[in-house]
Amino acid sequence: MAEKKEREWLPLELVKTSAEYLESKGIPTSRLDAEVLLCAVLECTRVKLYTIYDEPLTSEELSQYRDMIRRRVAREPVSRILGRREFMGYDFLVTPAVLSPRPETEILVEKAIQLLEVTPKLKRSEIYYREQDRKTIAQLKEQVSQLRPDEIPEEVRSAIAEYDSEQTLVHEANAGGVRLRRLLDLGTGSGCIPISVLKHTEAVEAVGVDISSAALEVAQKNAEVLEVADRIKFVESDFFSALDPEEKFDIIVSNPPYLVRGDKDIWPEVSGYDPELALYAAENGLACYRSIVAAVAEYLKPAGVLLLELGAGQLQEVTDIVISEYPAAKVSSLNDYSGIARVLVVSGIRA
């Protein structure tokens, strides 16, 4: 008896059928997921998918796609199935060691880019004092020019070296004189936040810290693939614990753990696949905010800004934590696409 031949499937009818099936299983982004997974199998863009509508899938392609759909029905996120996630226009490697980047976090990144791209005009007094610093160092250099290195006081050598180092960085960052700006990301995970900032800015360098060495390996790979490894370093650290207090930053950002263990509103895609270390925090989800806020002033430059991603409904509580520590700080918030306060913007911490 002849073996029954399986019917052919065209891309768009397969997407339609798969989307309906995913929707029946409670998958909220059924059509999008069906398209993205099929694009991965066919190695094409979503736009191209609509131009190959009359090209049936091979049996191998169909088998691969069905396996992906089965995994999605089990609530495995698309990013875990594919091993990558698009964020800020770039593909990031994701593994079980890191949080899968969320669209809401792009709001924090966009704010950081805006702050880092702005070059404020110098006040007349600042220009004066910078010029005085230049003249002072020039005088010191002239005074010690005839001395041997061991005859120059340590304080003088340090002052000259520090000034020259700063001027070298500024020159290398931008021939026009724009100073090099620095970003710190606490709990960097895949590195999507600082890497995205670097891809969209110039004259910026970044440091990403994470308590997980496995996460830092993923972040390093992403930095190399996206060609910013020369502008970023990764440090294994529990927030600030392994950082030198002498390091100062223009912007400090964090998407810290803020979920409460046992919360029934957490999607299975999150609770079942993202690392617990990156999800849950004690004190009703506020513990990490308290740790960051308590220490952040020591690592910010005088005009530095702190950006914190928030969980739904946490705006007032986190604002209270900030104001309790820094009564003179200026605090504002940015909403996500659903109108939820998602990013806290804090300035004036060291004013």
Side-chain angles (χ1 to χ4, degrees):
M1 184 175 180
E3 184 178 342
K4 185 178 180 180
K5 184 178 180 181
E6 184 173 20
R7 63 160 289 189
E8 290 186 336
W9 284 92
L10 297 176
L12 295 186
E13 66 172 339
L14 185 58
V15 165
K16 182 177 182 296
T17 300
S18 300
E20 291 172 350
Y21 178 60
L22 291 174
E23 186 175 13
S24 72
K25 298 298 183 179
I27 305 300
T29 53
S30 54
R31 177 76 187 197
L32 175 63
D33 293 354
E35 289 184 357
V36 170
L37 292 174
L38 187 54
C39 286
V41 171
L42 300 179
E43 298 182 350
C44 69
T45 64
R46 289 172 66 197
V47 173
K48 183 66 178 294
L49 196 63
Y50 287 82
T51 68
I52 56 173
Y53 62 89
D54 59 348
E55 299 178 19
L57 275 73
T58 67
S59 58
E60 291 80 9
E61 291 169 339
L62 189 58
S63 176
Q64 184 182 356
Y65 184 66
R66 282 174 170 165
D67 180 61
M68 288 181 172
I69 292 296
R70 281 192 289 268
R71 292 169 67 181
R72 187 67 189 103
V73 168
R75 302 305 290 264
E76 184 174 356
V78 170
S79 59
R80 302 297 178 192
I81 297 171
L82 301 181
R84 55 181 170 79
R85 178 66 180 259
E86 190 274 337
F87 183 83
M88 292 293 294
Y90 298 95
D91 274 345
F92 285 84
L93 168 70
V94 293
T95 74
V98 300
L99 195 73
S100 184
R102 307 284 197 270
E104 294 82 2
T105 304
E106 293 187 354
I107 298 166
L108 182 149
V109 173
E110 289 166 357
K111 183 61 179 178
I113 291 170
Q114 177 191 12
L115 292 169
L116 289 166
E117 283 288 81
V118 172
T119 306
K121 293 181 179 179
L122 294 177
K123 298 177 182 177
R124 187 179 299 274
S125 59
E126 292 175 323
I127 295 175
Y128 172 79
Y129 285 115
R130 288 192 181 188
E131 179 64 15
Q132 290 301 107
D133 286 344
R134 187 190 66 77
K135 290 180 179 178
T136 299
I137 294 298
Q139 290 172 354
L140 282 174
K141 286 183 176 180
E142 184 177 354
Q143 291 172 6
V144 302
S145 61
Q146 302 302 318
L147 300 178
R148 298 194 311 271
D150 61 320
E151 294 177 324
I152 303 174
E154 175 63 28
E155 295 82 358
V156 174
R157 281 190 284 126
S158 296
I160 292 174
E162 182 178 350
Y163 182 85
D164 287 346
S165 176
E166 180 181 356
Q167 296 310 301
T168 299
L169 286 174
V170 169
H171 178 74
E172 291 176 349
N174 188 289
V178 177
R179 69 186 177 87
L180 187 68
R181 301 183 66 116
R182 308 190 72 227
L183 169 82
L184 171 65
D185 179 29
L186 302 169
T188 198
S190 65
C192 66
I193 292 176
I195 291 171
S196 295
V197 170
L198 295 181
K199 294 296 290 185
H200 288 87
T201 58
E202 297 179 354
V204 176
E205 67 176 14
V207 175
V209 306
D210 204 289
I211 197 171
S212 166
S213 59
L216 292 176
E217 290 179 8
V218 176
Q220 183 65 44
K221 288 179 182 177
N222 281 325
E224 291 168 0
V225 169
L226 292 173
E227 300 180 334
V228 296
D230 60 332
R231 297 167 59 198
I232 189 169
K233 71 174 180 178
F234 295 104
V235 179
E236 187 173 342
S237 177
D238 185 1
F239 293 144
F240 298 104
S241 63
L243 296 181
D244 183 351
E246 294 301 312
E247 284 198 87
K248 307 297 180 185
F249 298 89
D250 297 279
I251 306 288
I252 296 179
V253 304
S254 184
N255 177 17
Y258 55 66
L259 297 181
V260 179
R261 194 182 299 274
D263 185 344
K264 295 180 180 179
D265 290 332
I266 301 173
W267 283 13
E269 286 88 343
V270 175
S271 60
Y273 294 95
D274 281 330
E276 292 191 358
L277 194 62
L279 292 178
Y280 304 112
E283 300 177 35
N284 201 33
L286 301 174
C288 292
Y289 295 116
R290 296 189 195 281
S291 297
I292 292 170
V293 170
V296 71
E298 190 172 8
Y299 296 86
L300 272 177
K301 293 182 181 179
V305 177
L306 171 66
L307 301 178
L308 295 171
E309 181 163 331
L310 305 172
Q314 291 182 324
L315 173 61
Q316 190 58 56
E317 291 174 309
V318 179
T319 297
D320 290 344
I321 291 171
V322 171
I323 296 302
S324 175
E325 192 77 31
Y326 312 107
K330 297 178 181 178
V331 180
S332 60
S333 63
L334 302 172
N335 290 349
D336 65 16
Y337 312 110
S338 300
I340 297 171
R342 188 60 66 182
V343 176
L344 198 71
V345 183
V346 186
S347 60
I349 288 177
R350 294 193 58 195

